[in-house]
Every structure is written in structure tokens, then in C-alpha cells.
């Protein structure tokens, strides 16, 4: 990893992953690429930045060539809830964007990181201890693009020798950039509302249990996997990883330990509830642990403590 391109660099993962990569591999060696969402000033000022649409194959190829990129973290994607609002657009961005990245990687010899998701599973998948290799018949367009992406990355590795690697992320909780229209967004929104108003109306039912992870672990995992010994990776493109698993009720109770006056109500969004109900409650991530040594640093109590502290500072209430 000498020259790195991050697509979707202004998104929830990209905003933090780009900074971590710049710290580790040198600011000038990490090109952040956004589109649509304006970059945070820290991201724009700390290293090279450009803006293009990943669906434009020729611009992407040119960027890879001009900057002599050898590794692409391809994060540009629509999330699950917005994907249900705009399924055709989600297919276009998620699939054609990935195909363009893989083609650029094939031609220019780059390694590729692709984030898959719990969304790659569906109602027929075992929801508890979801195995690494199991039934994948997702019910959302987002999930369909994630399974297809996993398979396409496998194909580019097998057929063309491209060093593709990826993770199935659970819901990601972060305090730098907001997620952009996912089903697990409640687990971020709740912190802003807890600090701002002391009350949150959750769009998922109190007992909807989902896998989750704090962003520092998600960032570490991506870099860890991309720097792991490739010869040890059997499931290279779709490692289950998780750090914690909780319900809105349990998250609220943990927040109440710090903010005793905090209250939660429930105004269920049937679309997002149906999506959540089709996803795993707890994935088995033993393949990631065995093949590249994955282990998370943050569980629920430590994540909640850190989130409340950071969000309070961000909102000027620290
Ligand atoms: N956090 C994502 C979403 O809710 C899942 O990958 O869409």
C-alpha cells in the first residue's frame, strides 16, 4: 500500500478511514475522492482531494493512472433504506461503481477493499450465530448489490488475480460523519438526540436486535485485512465481523446510566423495520478471527461512554 485511493471518502466510513490511512501511510499518499456530500474541512485540507462519480469509468481510470494508485478502498455506495427508495439508482451506483473500480484495478494492478454488510443476508439466513458460509437471499436491493459485489470480487480474484478483500460490516456507530440513509442509523441518531434534547423516537421496535460496531474498530478492521498475509485468506471478500449485538431498548438503558433523564419512544418505520427483521441478530465471526486475527476493542459500555463524550464536545455541551 503505497498510493491509496478512497472512494466515498466524504461518507460515514470514508471520513474517518481516510484520516487513519493518512496517519499511517503518509498524507500525500492517500487520495480522497468524494461526490455529492461536501468534504469535512479536515479531510480536504489534510491531503489530496478530488471529486468524481464512480460510475464514470474513464475518469476513474485516469485518476488511478495519474496518481499511480496501487490500492483502492471502494466505499462509495447507497445504503439500505435509501436503496429501497431509489432501487434503480442503488443498482447503478453500487454495481457499476464497483465494476469500474475492479476494471481499473485489473488494468493497473491495484488491490481492492470492498465493504459488504449484514445486509447481504436475508430472511432465510440463520439469524443467530449466522455462519460465514450460509444462505444469502437478501430482500433489499442494497443486499442484492452486496451479495453480487462479494461474488464479483471473488470472480476478479479468481479470474484475473486482482487482490480483492472485504468485510461484512454490521451497523456502524460513529461521531464524525453521519450515515446516509441506513437501517442501523438509529444507533447514531440516538446519541445526538440524547445530548441535544434528552429524548429519542426510534424508528425500529424496542427489541430489534442487530450486530453493531464502533467506527474505530471498523477502521482498524479494514486496514488490518488489507495488510494481512493474503496467503492465509480463504474467505477473502466477505468476512463476517461483529463487535456487539443489542436492541434499541438495551442501547437506551446503557445511555441512561450516563444520562438518567434520557427517555426513548418508538415510532416505527415499517420499511426499515422489515429490513432489520430480515438481517442477522448475531453473526459468527470466527473465520475473520482465525484467518487474520480479528478482534474488536469496543463493546457496548465502552462505545456508549466514548460516543456521549465525543457528541457532547461536538454539540458544545462537553
Ligand atoms: N448500516 C447499513 C445500513 O443500515 C448496513 O450495512 O444500510
Amino acid at each position: 500500500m503505497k498510493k491509496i485511493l478512497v472512494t466515498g471518502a466524504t461518507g460515514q466510513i470514508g471520513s474517518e478511514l481516510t484520516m487513519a490511512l493518512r496517519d499511517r501511510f503518509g498524507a500525500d499518499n492517500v487520495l480522497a475522492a468524494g461526490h455529492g456530500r461536501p468534504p469535512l474541512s479536515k479531510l480536504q485540507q489534510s491531503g489530496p482531494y478530488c471529486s468524481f462519480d464512480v460510475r464514470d469509468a474513464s475518469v476513474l481510470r485516469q485518476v488511478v493512472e495519474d496518481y499511480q494508485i496501487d490500492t483502492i478502498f471502494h466505499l462509495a455506495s447507497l445504503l439500505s433504506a435509501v436503496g429501497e427508495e431509489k432501487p434503480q439508482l442503488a443498482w447503478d451506483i453500487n454495481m457499476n461503481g464497483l465494476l469500474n473500480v475492479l476494471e481499473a484495478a485489473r488494468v493497473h494492478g491495484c488491490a481492492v477493499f470492498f465493504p459488504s454488510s449484514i445486509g447481504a443476508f436475508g430472511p432465510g439466513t440463520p439469524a443467530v450465530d449466522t455462519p460465514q458460509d450460509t444462505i444469502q437471499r437478501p430482500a433489499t436491493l442494497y443486499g442484492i448489490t452486496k451479495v453480487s459485489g462479494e461474488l464479483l470480487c471473488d470472480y476478479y480474484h479468481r479470474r484475473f488475480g486482482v487482490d480483492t478483500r472485504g468485510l461484512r460490516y454490521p451497523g456502524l456507530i460513529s461521531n464524525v460523519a453521519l450515515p446516509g440513509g441506513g437501517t442501523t442509523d438509529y444507533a447514531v441518531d440516538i446519541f445526538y438526540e440524547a445530548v441535544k434534547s434528552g429524548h429519542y423516537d426510534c424508528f425500529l421496535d424496542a427489541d430489534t436486535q442487530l450486530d453493531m460496531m464502533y467506527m474505530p474498530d471498523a477502521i482498524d478492521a479494514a486496514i488490518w485485512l488489507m495488510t494481512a498475509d493474503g496467503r492465509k485468506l480463504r474467505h477473502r471478500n466477505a468476512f463476517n465481523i461483529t463487535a456487539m449485538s443489542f436492541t434499541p431498548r438495551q442501547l437506551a438503558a446503557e445511555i441512561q446510566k450516563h444520562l438518567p433523564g434520557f427517555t426513548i419512544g418508538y415510532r416505527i418505520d415499517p420499511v426499515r423495520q422489515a429490513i432489520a427483521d430480515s438481517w442477522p441478530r448475531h453473526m459468527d465471526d470466527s473465520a475473520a478471527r482465525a484467518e487474520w486475527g480479528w478482534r474488536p476493542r469496543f463493546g457496548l459500555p465502552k462505545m456508549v461512554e466514548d460516543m456521549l463524550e465525543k457528541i457532547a464536545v461536538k454539540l458544545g455541551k462537553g
Side-chain angles (χ1 to χ4, degrees), residues 37-167:
R37 216 193 247 200
L40 300 168
S41 55
K42 210 164 80 178
L43 185 101
Q44 199 169 14
Q45 284 156 16
S46 62
Y49 177 81
C50 65
S51 173
F52 67 89
D53 188 332
V54 289
R55 291 173 295 174
D56 190 333
S58 59
V59 173
L60 175 60
R61 284 263 285 270
Q62 199 60 51
V63 166
V64 168
E65 203 176 309
D66 289 349
Y67 285 85
Q68 297 181 309
I69 298 295
D70 62 35
T71 305
I72 306 172
F73 286 81
H74 177 49
L75 308 176
S77 159
L78 290 197
L79 287 180
S80 59
V82 78
E84 289 311 286
E85 277 164 31
K86 301 171 189 167
Q88 296 80 2
L89 184 67
W91 177 269
D92 192 19
I93 293 176
N94 294 11
M95 291 317 303
N96 291 323
L98 176 61
L99 185 64
N100 291 342
V101 164
L102 289 169
E103 270 299 288
R106 179 181 69 78
V107 172
H108 294 285
C110 307
V112 174
F113 173 80
F114 170 69
S116 187
S117 157
I118 45 172
F121 296 115
T125 306
V128 178
D129 292 331
T130 305
Q132 174 65 46
D133 300 304
T134 185
I135 300 163
Q136 288 183 268
R137 304 282 295 171
T140 63
L141 201 287
Y142 172 74
I144 293 168
T145 67
K146 288 300 181 190
V147 181
S148 309
E150 292 177 2
L151 295 172
L152 199 57
C153 288
D154 280 344
Y155 181 78
Y156 266 72
H157 175 66
R158 201 172 45 241
R159 177 86 167 74
F160 302 118
V162 177
D163 185 2
T164 52
R165 305 182 185 193
L167 302 167

Side-chain angles (χ1 to χ4, degrees), residues 12 79-81 116-119 142 169-172 181-185 279:
Q12 187 194 14
L79 287 180
S80 59
S116 187
S117 157
I118 45 172
Y142 172 74
Y169 279 128
L172 296 179
T183 301
T184 56
D185 294 14
W279 286 355

Side-chain angles (χ1 to χ4, degrees), residues 4-18:
I4 301 167
L5 169 66
V6 182
T7 73
T10 58
Q12 187 194 14
I13 305 174
S15 298
E16 296 192 54
L17 179 62
T18 305

